Amino acid sequence: MYKIELSSDDVPKKWYNINSDLPSEIPMPQNSEGKQQIENLSKVFSKGVLEQEFSQERYIAIPKPVREIYQRMGRPSPLFRAKGLEEKLNTPAKIYYKREDLSPTGSHKLNSAIAQAYYAKKDGIERLTTETGAGQWGTALSLACSLMDMDCTIYMVKVSYDQKPFRKVIMEVYDGKVHASPSENTEYGKKVLSENPNHPGSLGIAISEAMEEAIEYDNVYYSLGSVLNHVMMHQTVIGLELKKQFEMIEKEPDVMIACVGGGSNFSGAMFPFMKDKLKGNSDCQFITVEPSSCPTLTKGNYEYDFGDANGFTPMLKMFTLGHDFIAPSVHAGGLRYHGMSPQVSLLSKEGYIEPRSASQEEVFKCGVLFAKSEGVLPAPETTHAIKAAIDEALKCKETGEEKTIMMNFSGHGLLDLKGYENFISGDLLSTGD
Amino acid sequence: MYKIELSSDDVPKKWYNINSDLPSEIPMPQNSEGKQQIENLSKVFSKGVLEQEFSQERYIAIPKPVREIYQRMGRPSPLFRAKGLEEKLNTPAKIYYKREDLSPTGSHKLNSAIAQAYYAKKDGIERLTTETGAGQWGTALSLACSLMDMDCTIYMVKVSYDQKPFRKVIMEVYDGKVHASPSENTEYGKKVLSENPNHPGSLGIAISEAMEEAIEYDNVYYSLGSVLNHVMMHQTVIGLELKKQFEMIEKEPDVMIACVGGGSNFSGAMFPFMKDKLKGNSDCQFITVEPSSCPTLTKGNYEYDFGDANGFTPMLKMFTLGHDFIAPSVHAGGLRYHGMSPQVSLLSKEGYIEPRSASQEEVFKCGVLFAKSEGVLPAPETTHAIKAAIDEALKCKETGEEKTIMMNFSGHGLLDLKGYENFISGDLLSTGD
């Protein structure tokens, strides 16, 4: 069986909230004086997601309209067996990949975008602002807002805006309004540009710009595509579907792999399986892969830091490279973030996750190998997961182990062909590594 | 139910060959003196596909390795209900669309590419040459050759090559070798360029270039992505799956719609249903939609003509605008062909098909409406089908009829964002209409 399919009816009815099962409680957000700070979050986030952010309930019901849009947008996503890749590697391992790229916006991001737009709409909000790196999140939120009949403003990290000219177009098809960040549209953007008119931008700066607008206007909320607990939870539809899919083929993954920027595709796919590990019922190995040029989990510090560049956000206890860190302009724009989900950070700190990093050159090589053997062109972010899956499969070739390897195929690379063009022509290193 | 799924096991085991059920026999290919000409086709086509081209067998077995690659590449494709679009149109009609865009190369083209590469490989051939307009066919054949460990050379119509810069990159990821056509690579290309160095190219010219190479080299075959009978037949996996999918929901389509360039996505989706109509067992209405700037079925003549610009091919009896016709540079590059499948032509001539045409401006408008309500961004070609589906649904709104409308969603538009950019900025007409 090459494709393990579920029916529309199998879309989960509840999200899984890992807060209830963590080895220790997630440290609360703080202000810069070290005091707990959650009050002013209600200025920029919906009641719905804020309640979820700090909830200790193990399962939270997915509202019917959200579940219905999940179905309309094609969920559940299929699980594929990477038979072509296995053959090319000549490995006894069985490699599976969950096809989040089949979402209409091409990545897992829509899973949280729909939920966030829904809860904002419920509060009577008319517009959402957000940041986007690679453009996957901005595209997803644009579509979600379009489906909910709301407006959407996106601050897109300038280097990605330039690298991916057509990302802007697709967001505009969905009626999203896109600004290259830093922009002249906000006070903070102006300040950054006055210091460096050629600033390449960063997710931290783009978040500051998007939040500034949400703080300023009453009918506007801010929406974040990763990092926060509620975003991780919305993504668990992936892992909950995966559970059923592995039951169908009567297997259990020995190794689970995902790339990490803020942690959302990893969390979504893994947390329902991590639950078993936290309860002592599983030996599954969980691997994260990040760019060696933005090594948050592998080389960052576990400490309180701001989520954005300007300090608009509360401080979160997480692995961080410092909120003023500007990652090199690698093509995996979605992985160029200085911080990391507090939940993923805690699990990594406690040893439940094995964090790895890889260079741009080596992950693109794996991406091309994957495309040629499986057909699907991976997003630059996703190639990081492929790298680790290939490494694990090659280890099995040495040991003869028939491990079941699952990687989350977080998105396709059809709007990232500039990166592949650079890789093919040998110009990749000049764009940062 | 928003998504009607089949399992891997449901991939058809046989293709449907409409030759056996046509109201009259398909006129044979001729040379320019009016004599039957099929002998020299064996220089450029595999034994397998040539046998299929003239076969009268109703069903032809799909070779096991081909069926397995269909499965690995994600077949069967799901059928979706366009609930969001229905709501936006406020129509009592039920609109369904078959998701051929979910193929790794983004369109239905892989269905024939895999089969053609397989039969060529079986003959010991090392390389395939082909032409491509929008790039969908070239991409599909590149991947198919990569999967079969063969080389692939693609002549891409120059105007599309320039409009879609990243199409070349994805073909190169699959190891395809891409030339803008007319090129300096062939005698015919050189001749065209010497007369007009800025020639925009045409599918007819690109076919001539690709065939020239196949005629010249012994280890090379030529491969065509549409028009010929065997290509139509390979595509019937779409319609055979659709039959099962409509059985599952206990419905029968009242109207079936597809865009047409050479006729392959239309034929693939419709022929298994057309069979019932030819036998008098169905009232289903079959609608083709082509660009008003390349109105082959709506305004062409039904006569013998060459398939390419230079007259390398035999002459086929078909609707044609003349083999020297150069269509305006509309974004729907896959629909800019002067001719039409002889099978589709015959059925249209005999009144089994209702041919329509639409302008570039109006189809892009429908494409954007579709993207905003269903999420998926259609290829410019596919927007033609959407236009007719919307027209039919709006008629139902007037009459109150609850018709079941099926359209073949032939491909996504993620590599055609230049067209959407022009549409959004109001610059579409300057690129031809």
Side-chain angles (χ1 to χ4, degrees):
Chain A
M1 201 133 75
Y2 299 107
K3 183 166 78 158
I4 299 105
E5 284 284 4
L6 299 171
S7 81
S8 292
D9 290 341
D10 291 316
V11 168
K13 292 186 171 134
K14 293 171 180 177
W15 290 300
Y16 168 60
N17 176 18
I18 202 168
N19 273 346
S20 59
D21 293 311
L22 287 174
S24 62
E25 228 173 88
I26 282 280
M28 291 297 279
Q30 291 188 353
N31 62 19
S32 48
E33 280 94 48
K35 298 229 174 82
Q36 180 176 316
Q37 183 200 6
I38 55 169
E39 298 75 15
N40 58 0
L41 291 178
S42 60
K43 176 76 189 70
V44 296
F45 286 115
S46 64
K47 289 185 196 71
V49 304
L50 268 188
E51 201 178 297
Q52 293 170 355
E53 185 67 17
F54 303 110
S55 168
Q56 293 293 324
E57 296 274 329
R58 182 166 288 128
Y59 292 98
I60 292 183
I62 300 175
K64 219 175 147 192
V66 171
R67 187 166 177 264
E68 194 178 312
I69 298 185
Y70 281 167
Q71 293 171 327
R72 273 178 46 199
M73 296 296 115
R75 296 213 74 86
S77 68
L79 177 67
F80 271 61
R81 171 92 179 265
K83 192 82 181 172
L85 182 63
E86 288 171 20
E87 278 169 16
K88 229 163 216 167
L89 300 173
N90 192 20
T91 175
K94 318 238 172 309
I95 308 173
Y96 292 86
Y97 56 113
K98 176 79 165 162
R99 297 285 305 272
E100 290 301 304
D101 63 300
L102 294 179
S103 149
T105 63
S107 82
H108 66 293
K109 292 292 188 186
L110 201 53
N111 299 329
S112 187
I114 292 166
Q116 292 193 48
Y118 168 79
Y119 288 115
K121 180 91 182 175
K122 217 175 145 192
D123 287 358
I125 287 300
E126 290 163 23
R127 178 160 69 99
L128 288 177
T129 65
T130 196
E131 77 296 330
T132 199
Q136 301 274 25
W137 170 246
T139 306
L141 197 68
S142 297
L143 174 56
C145 286
S146 179
L147 293 171
M148 298 279 174
D149 204 16
M150 298 171 76
D151 292 331
C152 186
T153 306
I154 304 106
Y155 290 89
M156 183 168 187
V157 178
K158 182 141 192 306
V159 57
S160 293
Y161 186 93
D162 293 338
Q163 273 173 354
K164 306 177 186 195
F166 291 133
R167 267 289 172 197
K168 177 172 173 273
V169 179
I170 187 163
M171 290 187 259
E172 286 176 349
V173 166
Y174 298 136
D175 288 336
K177 208 164 162 51
V178 190
H179 305 286
S181 167
S183 78
E184 295 284 352
N185 214 43
T186 64
E187 292 310 314
Y188 184 67
K190 282 182 207 162
K191 182 168 160 265
V192 174
L193 285 174
S194 73
E195 286 159 13
N196 178 2
N198 298 316
H199 201 296
S202 72
L203 276 170
I205 292 169
I207 295 174
S208 291
E209 291 205 89
M211 280 196 75
E212 187 181 316
E213 271 210 78
I215 292 167
E216 193 177 343
Y217 300 105
D218 276 346
N219 59 344
V220 177
Y221 276 166
Y222 164 72
S223 187
L224 187 64
S226 192
V227 181
L228 299 179
N229 304 340
H230 65 270
V231 184
M232 307 297 123
M233 188 189 76
H234 298 156
Q235 294 294 351
T236 58
V237 286
I238 305 172
L240 293 164
E241 289 172 9
L242 270 175
K243 278 259 170 191
K244 280 196 192 172
Q245 286 164 316
F246 277 107
E247 271 167 33
M248 276 173 70
I249 54 171
E250 295 176 358
K251 283 193 183 299
E252 277 185 32
D254 300 303
V255 188
M256 297 187 85
I257 302 165
C259 64
V260 281
S264 80
N265 98 78
F266 173 84
S267 302
M270 312 302 164
F271 281 1
F273 293 84
M274 184 66 82
K275 174 168 169 267
D276 303 332
K277 182 144 178 161
L278 290 167
K279 291 179 182 293
N281 299 330
S282 159
D283 290 328
C284 184
Q285 185 186 0
F286 298 95
I287 299 171
T288 62
V289 193
E290 59 195 7
S292 46
S293 57
C294 190
T296 315
L297 269 185
T298 46
K299 295 196 177 158
N301 295 318
Y302 186 57
E303 61 193 21
Y304 271 101
D305 195 7
F306 293 110
D308 67 329
N310 195 38
F312 279 138
T313 70
M315 298 179 90
L316 299 173
K317 185 87 179 273
M318 61 184 176
F319 278 93
T320 173
L321 297 162
H323 63 274
D324 52 358
F325 177 81
I326 306 288
S329 308
V330 290
H331 286 281
L335 309 184
R336 294 174 65 247
Y337 183 63
H338 69 274
M340 181 58 63
S341 144
Q343 291 173 335
V344 174
S345 294
L346 180 68
L347 288 165
S348 186
K349 183 75 185 167
E350 300 280 340
Y352 290 93
I353 289 170
E354 187 185 323
R356 295 186 189 173
S357 70
S359 78
Q360 178 160 254
E361 184 74 23
E362 54 188 351
V363 298
F364 264 98
K365 203 175 140 195
C366 294
V368 168
L369 178 67
F370 189 89
K372 283 199 276 203
S373 44
E374 292 297 312
V376 199
L377 189 82
E381 292 79 4
T382 310
T383 60
H384 290 75
I386 295 171
K387 167 75 170 75
I390 290 175
D391 287 347
E392 290 303 303
L394 290 176
K395 269 189 219 162
C396 289
K397 188 177 169 182
E398 276 179 34
T399 61
E401 287 173 288
E402 294 185 20
K403 282 189 183 173
T404 298
I405 299 170
M406 196 309 284
M407 81 180 149
N408 199 32
F409 197 90
S410 54
H412 65 64
L414 293 172
L415 293 173
D416 304 277
L417 284 162
K418 183 103 184 139
Y420 282 93
E421 189 176 30
N422 291 352
F423 174 75
I424 289 170
S425 61
D427 285 342
L428 198 56
L429 292 174
S430 66
T431 61
D433 192 5
Chain B
M1 199 132 75
Y2 298 107
K3 183 167 78 159
I4 298 103
E5 284 286 4
L6 300 171
S7 83
S8 293
D9 291 341
D10 292 315
V11 169
K13 291 184 173 138
K14 292 171 179 176
W15 290 300
Y16 167 61
N17 176 17
I18 203 168
N19 272 347
S20 59
D21 292 310
L22 287 174
S24 62
E25 228 173 270
I26 282 280
M28 290 298 277
Q30 292 187 352
N31 62 19
S32 46
E33 279 95 50
K35 299 231 175 80
Q36 180 174 316
Q37 182 199 9
I38 55 169
E39 298 75 16
N40 58 359
L41 292 178
S42 61
K43 177 74 191 71
V44 296
F45 286 115
S46 64
K47 289 185 196 69
V49 304
L50 268 188
E51 203 178 296
Q52 293 169 357
E53 185 67 17
F54 304 109
S55 168
Q56 293 293 326
E57 295 274 329
R58 182 166 287 126
Y59 291 98
I60 293 183
I62 301 175
K64 219 175 147 193
V66 171
R67 187 167 178 264
E68 193 178 313
I69 298 185
Y70 281 168
Q71 292 171 327
R72 274 178 47 199
M73 296 297 115
R75 296 213 73 86
S77 68
L79 177 67
F80 271 61
R81 171 92 180 266
K83 192 82 182 172
L85 182 63
E86 289 170 21
E87 278 169 15
K88 232 166 214 162
L89 300 173
N90 192 20
T91 175
K94 316 235 172 312
I95 308 173
Y96 292 87
Y97 56 113
K98 176 79 165 162
R99 297 286 304 272
E100 290 301 303
D101 64 300
L102 293 179
S103 149
T105 64
S107 81
H108 66 293
K109 291 292 187 185
L110 202 52
N111 300 329
S112 186
I114 293 166
Q116 293 193 47
Y118 168 80
Y119 288 115
K121 180 90 183 176
K122 217 175 145 192
D123 287 358
I125 287 299
E126 289 163 24
R127 179 160 69 99
L128 289 177
T129 65
T130 196
E131 77 296 330
T132 199
Q136 300 274 26
W137 170 246
T139 307
L141 196 67
S142 296
L143 173 57
C145 286
S146 180
L147 293 171
M148 297 281 175
D149 203 16
M150 298 171 77
D151 293 330
C152 186
T153 306
I154 305 106
Y155 290 89
M156 183 169 187
V157 178
K158 183 142 191 306
V159 57
S160 294
Y161 186 92
D162 293 338
Q163 272 172 353
K164 307 177 186 196
F166 292 132
R167 266 290 172 195
K168 176 171 174 272
V169 179
I170 187 162
M171 290 188 258
E172 286 176 348
V173 166
Y174 297 136
D175 288 337
K177 208 163 164 51
V178 190
H179 305 286
S181 166
S183 77
E184 295 284 351
N185 215 44
T186 64
E187 292 310 313
Y188 184 66
K190 280 183 208 162
K191 181 168 162 264
V192 174
L193 285 174
S194 73
E195 286 159 15
N196 178 2
N198 298 317
H199 200 295
S202 72
L203 276 170
I205 293 169
I207 294 174
S208 291
E209 291 206 88
M211 280 196 76
E212 187 180 316
E213 271 210 78
I215 292 167
E216 193 178 342
Y217 300 105
D218 276 345
N219 59 345
V220 177
Y221 276 166
Y222 164 72
S223 187
L224 187 65
S226 193
V227 181
L228 299 179
N229 303 341
H230 65 270
V231 184
M232 307 297 122
M233 188 189 75
H234 297 156
Q235 294 294 352
T236 59
V237 287
I238 305 173
L240 293 165
E241 289 172 9
L242 270 175
K243 278 260 169 191
K244 280 197 192 174
Q245 285 164 318
F246 277 107
E247 272 167 32
M248 274 173 71
I249 54 171
E250 296 175 357
K251 283 193 182 299
E252 278 184 33
D254 300 303
V255 188
M256 298 187 84
I257 301 164
C259 63
V260 282
S264 81
N265 99 77
F266 173 84
S267 303
M270 312 302 163
F271 281 1
F273 293 84
M274 184 66 83
K275 174 168 169 268
D276 303 333
K277 183 147 179 156
L278 289 166
K279 291 177 182 294
N281 299 329
S282 159
D283 290 327
C284 185
Q285 185 187 1
F286 298 95
I287 299 171
T288 61
V289 193
E290 59 194 7
S292 46
S293 57
C294 189
T296 314
L297 270 185
T298 45
K299 295 197 178 159
N301 295 318
Y302 186 57
E303 61 194 22
Y304 270 102
D305 195 9
F306 292 110
D308 68 328
N310 195 39
F312 279 137
T313 69
M315 297 180 91
L316 300 172
K317 185 87 179 274
M318 60 184 176
F319 277 94
T320 174
L321 297 162
H323 63 275
D324 52 357
F325 177 81
I326 306 289
S329 308
V330 290
H331 285 281
L335 308 185
R336 295 173 65 246
Y337 183 62
H338 69 274
M340 181 58 64
S341 145
Q343 292 173 335
V344 173
S345 294
L346 180 69
L347 289 165
S348 187
K349 183 74 186 166
E350 300 280 341
Y352 290 93
I353 288 170
E354 186 185 324
R356 295 186 188 172
S357 71
S359 78
Q360 178 160 254
E361 184 75 22
E362 55 187 352
V363 297
F364 264 97
K365 203 174 141 197
C366 293
V368 167
L369 178 67
F370 189 89
K372 282 200 276 203
S373 44
E374 291 297 312
V376 199
L377 189 82
E381 292 80 4
T382 310
T383 60
H384 289 74
I386 295 171
K387 166 77 171 72
I390 289 175
D391 287 347
E392 291 303 303
L394 290 176
K395 269 189 218 164
C396 289
K397 188 178 169 181
E398 278 179 33
T399 61
E401 286 174 290
E402 294 185 20
K403 281 190 182 172
T404 298
I405 299 170
M406 195 312 282
M407 84 181 146
N408 198 33
F409 197 89
S410 54
H412 65 64
L414 293 172
L415 293 174
D416 304 278
L417 283 161
K418 185 103 183 139
Y420 283 94
E421 190 176 30
N422 291 352
F423 174 74
I424 289 170
S425 62
D427 285 343
L428 198 56
L429 292 174
S430 67
T431 62
D433 191 5

